[in-house]
Amino acid sequence: MATAEAAPTTAAPRRKRSWRQLPVIHQLRQSVGLQRGMLVAGLVLMGIFVLTAIFAPLLAPYGYGQLRDENGVFGAQQEPSSEHWLGTTVGGYDVLSRVIYGARTALLVILVAILLSIVVGVLLGLVSGYFGGWADRVLVVICDAIYAFPTLLLAIVVGIAISGGQSDLWGGIFAAAISITVVFIPQYFRVIRAETVRIKAEAFVESARVIGASNWRIMTRHVLRNSTRTLPLIVTLNASEAILTLAGLGFLGFGIQPTAGAEWGYDLNRSLSDVTSGIWWTSVFPGAAIVLTVLGLTLVGESLNDLVDPRLRTRRRAAEGEPSPVGDVAVVPGGTLAAPGGLRGLEPLGDNS
């Protein structure tokens, strides 16, 4: 008796993630009209800021603490000229050089502060949301108490406790970064904890528990990567807050010494007396650097916020007369609205275990 030969079954190949699916690039391709213009403008300003910070030694005509060249001392409060394109400060420093090097200081503070905030905030939020219990309640109360304090006041207190208010370049960078980190940790904690509480009740997590997966594997393989999808948005918004907090610390005199590094807030503080004397260049350019950098980061953050929400994206298409593609909005059982591919990390159970 002939037996039918079973047809070979082949698993569907996993689709490779291309560079077009990267967070910012994916949203840029989705954006339309004014939304795309805002996102592009923000990315351009961010790009100028980052490139200026990276290539500061090549772009700056002088050092941030340089007071003289081969022609002699620069002189204090010199008007913009061919030798000093943006003039000199009350201390005799070149304004253009200090603005350029100030971008490097701001970028270093942003990187250190956000990296520390993500590591601590995500870890605490993941553990707190997954295990719950008394530790969860204690962490929630502590983060709520920290979140209730004024941001700048808390940063000043932490900065004084760390460095005494004055320090060298790296000491000032770490003091400012740690003080900003204390302010940002509750934000990451709240977001990750809320997502973890929601995701741990999903069916695929329960299935992983049934087959004997450890808590650590479930947390890192299933829960973590599905609870961090909004982090790029939070990072861009927190980066602008970090610059404002750093500038506020420097403006109040709790920043970096001028001979140890350039900082925009400190330069604004030193230019207060110049404004009443009609000397505008010592305050306009550091202030413009702060405004443009924060504007670029805010435009990117707000644009990503709109594009992440499919309801806003659908309304924008409808307002501009574009048809909304089928399946643009997907309802996730037990969760929130998500864009297509928003749950790509939820592979079948056999792949994850």
Side-chain angles (χ1 to χ4, degrees), residues 52-71:
T52 301
I54 294 175
F55 298 104
L58 300 177
L59 298 175
Y62 307 100
Y64 56 81
Q66 188 174 346
L67 295 173
R68 63 172 62 239
D69 58 5
E70 63 274 5
N71 297 324

Side-chain angles (χ1 to χ4, degrees), residues 81-100:
S81 62
S82 58
E83 296 181 357
H84 304 282
W85 291 359
L86 304 184
T88 61
T89 67
V90 65
Y93 302 106
D94 182 69
V95 174
L96 176 59
S97 300
R98 288 192 63 82
V99 168
I100 293 176

Side-chain angles (χ1 to χ4, degrees), residues 10-24:
T10 57
R14 183 179 298 179
R15 185 171 57 181
K16 294 183 179 180
R17 186 170 184 174
S18 65
W19 60 271
R20 297 178 180 227
Q21 298 298 323
L22 293 176
V24 177

Side-chain angles (χ1 to χ4, degrees), residues 170-220:
W170 285 106
I173 288 175
F174 279 104
I178 293 174
S179 63
I180 295 171
T181 298
V182 175
V183 177
F184 286 170
I185 285 177
Q187 301 180 24
Y188 292 96
F189 172 83
R190 284 182 168 188
V191 172
I192 299 301
R193 178 186 175 275
E195 288 295 308
T196 301
V197 170
R198 181 183 66 83
I199 293 172
K200 75 175 184 179
E202 296 290 342
F204 66 91
V205 175
E206 294 295 335
S207 302
R209 288 199 190 98
V210 169
I211 65 174
S214 63
N215 288 329
W216 177 254
R217 180 178 179 84
I218 295 174
M219 290 168 60
T220 56

